[in-house]
Structure formats: structure tokens, C-alpha cells
């Protein structure tokens, strides 16, 4: 499991932990949101108001579907039905007000949540993530140029394995929110893990180095530690022992942990102690 998948699991777990009032209370609140949005649809005086209400109801259905699936509160058939209702409402909102960036962003979030859950269950989330990315891009084109939208676009591309596009999105987030720097450190670390698992050590080393340049990767977002993994590659995979020792010294200066068994192997294979 790569870091982006691990991050998805963390996000889904955080959602469950966030709701301290209990599953029935959360689902009841979403039902209230659905009723309120339905009333707003019926009383809307123009297409703009009606689109906003449809979008709100779609979000409530999507949240109800997502939570019920994470918490195993309802059969899969119910989850599918609620998600379908969410997308129907989001589609209606887009049709009524195609120039409104928010309705695209809300539909994108629903698609992302579905794709993320599929990935978390080792299923194919790509179709949903493709749709999410397209809608986040449409929202940005229509003026929703804020940090959150770029952040979600980056997460979507990263989860979908589209490295260059993820980096572009996080880079656009950076001037708007310093958290973009953390996202870049985490993403490059994640890409390093992915390339390392694929045996592309040059690409992995390049990604890990980029991660280090942006800061310290969050161990809840990336399953590897860049400096430690670089030492592993230089020691075990490419046998570039001088580079391995240089990286060990860099890690020591930065206070980063290196696995003792890896250090012992480096000492043995390089015939050096430091």
C-alpha cells in the first residue's frame, strides 16, 4: 500500500472519529439537511437558488453514503442508492447553473469520496477520481482559485497516480497556504516509495531528495522516511556505499532515525564503521 492509499485510510478513519455523537445522530442530521434542501428546492425563486439547493442536497446524500460505508451502518445497496441520488442532484445543480464554480467543486468532492473509498478497499477508484479531477479543474476555471480546491485537486491526482499533475496542483496551493509545502514533502515521499517498489531507484532517489527539500514528510501520509529509504537504496539496491554513508551523516545531523539493522548491513558491506 502506497502512502496515498495510507493517507486515504487516515482521512476516512478521522471522519469516523470526528463524529462523536454516534452514527444514528450523524445520519439523522444528514436527513435533516436533505429535508431542508428539498424545501429550498421547492421554494427557490430562480435557477441559481435552485442549483444551490440541489448541490446542498447532493452533498448531504454523499456525506450520508460515505459515512454509512465507512462505519458499516447500512447494506452496500443503500450506499449505492444514496450515492446515486447525490450525483443526480449534483448533475441537476450543474445543469441549472453551469457557470457556478461551487456546484462543480461539490460534485467533485462526492466523486473523490467515492474513489477514495474504493481505493481504501483495494478496488478500482480511477473512474471516480478521473471525474473528481475534471470537476475540480472546472471549478478552478470558473474562479474557485483557493487553497482548498488546489489541495483537493492535488490529493485527487496523487491518489490516481498522476504525479506531475499532483505536484502542479500543490505548487499552486503553496502561495495561498503554507500547508502546500507539507503536501509537496508528503507527495514526493509517496512518489519515492512508489518508484522504489517498482525498482526505479533513480526516480525514487530524485523524489526523496525533493521531499527533503520541502521539509519533513508526515509519517501518517507517507509510509517511508526519505533519508532512511535513500540509505536503503544506496546500501541494498545500488551498493553505492559512499553515498549511503553521506546520507547517514545527513540523517544524523537532521536527527532522523535510521534502522539499526540497515546501519549494521552498511557497515558490513562497505567495510566501514562511519
Amino acid at each position: 500500500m502506497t502512502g496515498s492509499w495510507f493517507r486515504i485510510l487516515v482521512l476516512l478513519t478521522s471522519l469516523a472519529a470526528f463524529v462523536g455523537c454516534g452514527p444514528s445522530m450523524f445520519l439523522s442530521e444528514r436527513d435533516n439537511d436533505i429535508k431542508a434542501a428539498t424545501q429550498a428546492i421547492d421554494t427557490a425563486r430562480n435557477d441559481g437558488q435552485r442549483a444551490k439547493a440541489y448541490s446542498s442536497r447532493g452533498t448531504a446524500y454523499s456525506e450520508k453514503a460515505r459515512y454509512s460505508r465507512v462505519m458499516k451502518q447500512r447494506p452496500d445497496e443503500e450506499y449505492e442508492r444514496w450515492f446515486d441520488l447525490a450525483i443526480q442532484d449534483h448533475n441537476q445543480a450543474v445543469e441549472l447553473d453551469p457557470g457556478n464554480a461551487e456546484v462543480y467543486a461539490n460534485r467533485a468532492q462526492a466523486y473523490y469520496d467515492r474513489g477514495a473509498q474504493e481505493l481504501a478497499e483495494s478496488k478500482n477508484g480511477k473512474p471516480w477520481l478521473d471525474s473528481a479531477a475534471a470537476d475540480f479543474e472546472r471549478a478552478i476555471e470558473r474562479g474557485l482559485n483557493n487553497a482548498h480546491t488546489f489541495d483537493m485537486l492535488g490529493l485527487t491526482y496523487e491518489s490516481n497516480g498522476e504525479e506531475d499533475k499532483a505536484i502542479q496542483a500543490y505548487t499552486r496551493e503553496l502561495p495561498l497556504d503554507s500547508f502546500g509545502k507539507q503536501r509537496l514533502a508528503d507527495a514526493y515521499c509517496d512518489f519515492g516509495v512508489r518508484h522504489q517498489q517498482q525498482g526505479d531507484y533513480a526516480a525514487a532517489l530524485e523524489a526523496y531528495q525533493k521531499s527533503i527539500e520541502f521539509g519533513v514528510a508526515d509519517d501518517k501520509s507517507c509510509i517511508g522516511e526519505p533519508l532512511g529509504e535513500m540509505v536503503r537504496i544506496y546500501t541494498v539496491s545500488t551498493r553505492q556505499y559512499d553515498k549511503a554513508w553521506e546520507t547517514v551523516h545527513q540523517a544524523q545531523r537532521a536527527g532522523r532515525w535510521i534502522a539499526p539493522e540497515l546501519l549494521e548491513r552498511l557497515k558490513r558491506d562497505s567495510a566501514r564503521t562511519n
Side-chain angles (χ1 to χ4, degrees):
M1 180 180 293
T2 62
S4 58
W5 286 30
F6 183 74
R7 185 181 302 173
I8 287 167
L9 286 173
V10 170
L11 288 171
L12 292 171
T13 303
S14 297
L15 167 68
F18 174 75
V19 185
C21 56
S24 60
M25 178 79 69
F26 181 85
L27 294 175
S28 176
E29 288 176 354
R30 300 295 75 74
D31 285 336
N32 290 336
D33 292 341
I34 290 166
K35 290 176 182 177
T38 300
Q39 183 177 5
I41 291 168
D42 293 339
T43 59
R45 288 178 287 183
N46 55 58
D47 283 349
Q49 291 180 359
R50 197 167 292 108
K52 183 177 180 180
Y54 270 113
S55 188
S56 295
R57 192 171 72 176
T59 296
Y61 274 127
S62 179
E63 284 293 291
K64 187 175 180 178
R66 177 175 69 158
Y67 183 79
S68 68
R69 187 169 178 181
V70 172
M71 299 297 288
K72 310 298 183 186
Q73 288 296 305
R74 296 290 189 277
D76 287 346
E77 294 79 11
E78 280 291 275
Y79 165 81
E80 294 286 350
R81 185 175 71 84
W82 288 334
F83 182 78
D84 288 345
L85 288 171
I87 296 304
Q88 288 174 26
D89 278 350
H90 287 307
N91 289 345
Q92 188 66 38
V94 167
E95 185 177 338
L96 286 167
D97 196 0
N100 186 335
E102 290 285 351
V103 298
Y104 287 99
N106 290 342
R107 187 172 68 177
Q109 187 67 53
Y111 281 134
Y112 174 81
D113 291 341
R114 176 66 183 268
Q117 184 63 48
E118 296 295 322
L119 286 185
E121 296 179 5
S122 299
K123 298 176 183 177
N124 181 20
K126 188 177 189 314
W128 310 110
L129 294 172
D130 286 344
S131 296
D135 269 350
F136 281 128
E137 293 280 14
R138 292 184 184 107
I140 291 167
E141 289 170 3
R142 287 161 176 76
L144 204 61
N145 297 304
N146 58 47
H148 176 74
T149 308
F150 286 123
D151 192 64
M152 287 305 307
L153 179 62
L155 282 173
T156 302
Y157 280 133
E158 185 182 350
S159 300
N160 221 11
E162 298 181 76
E163 297 184 12
D164 290 344
K165 290 181 178 180
I167 293 302
Q168 289 172 12
Y170 292 141
T171 301
R172 294 175 75 182
E173 176 186 0
L174 187 55
L176 302 172
D177 190 333
S178 60
F179 187 66
K181 188 175 181 180
Q182 184 66 59
R183 285 295 198 207
L184 286 164
D186 295 343
Y188 275 118
C189 178
D190 183 22
F191 300 150
V193 170
R194 188 175 300 169
H195 289 305
Q196 187 177 355
Q197 291 173 342
Q198 294 168 347
D200 188 347
Y201 301 120
L205 289 166
E206 182 179 356
Y208 286 138
Q209 185 58 50
K210 282 284 189 181
S211 177
I212 294 165
E213 291 172 9
F214 280 104
V216 178
D218 184 352
D219 60 5
K220 294 183 179 61
S221 297
C222 182
I223 60 174
E225 199 292 311
L227 286 168
E229 294 306 319
M230 289 174 72
V231 173
R232 186 176 303 280
I233 291 172
Y234 286 136
T235 300
V236 178
S237 303
T238 66
R239 300 180 183 179
Q240 295 171 280
Y241 302 126
D242 288 345
K243 288 185 176 293
W245 279 113
E246 289 175 10
T247 309
V248 167
H249 298 153
Q250 182 181 355
Q252 290 171 338
R253 290 193 297 270
R256 306 302 291 175
W257 184 81
I258 303 293
E261 62 272 18
L262 183 58
L263 278 175
E264 288 304 313
R265 175 163 180 174
L266 177 57
K267 291 175 182 178
R268 184 182 69 246
D269 291 356
S270 67
R272 289 175 53 180
T273 59
N274 206 324

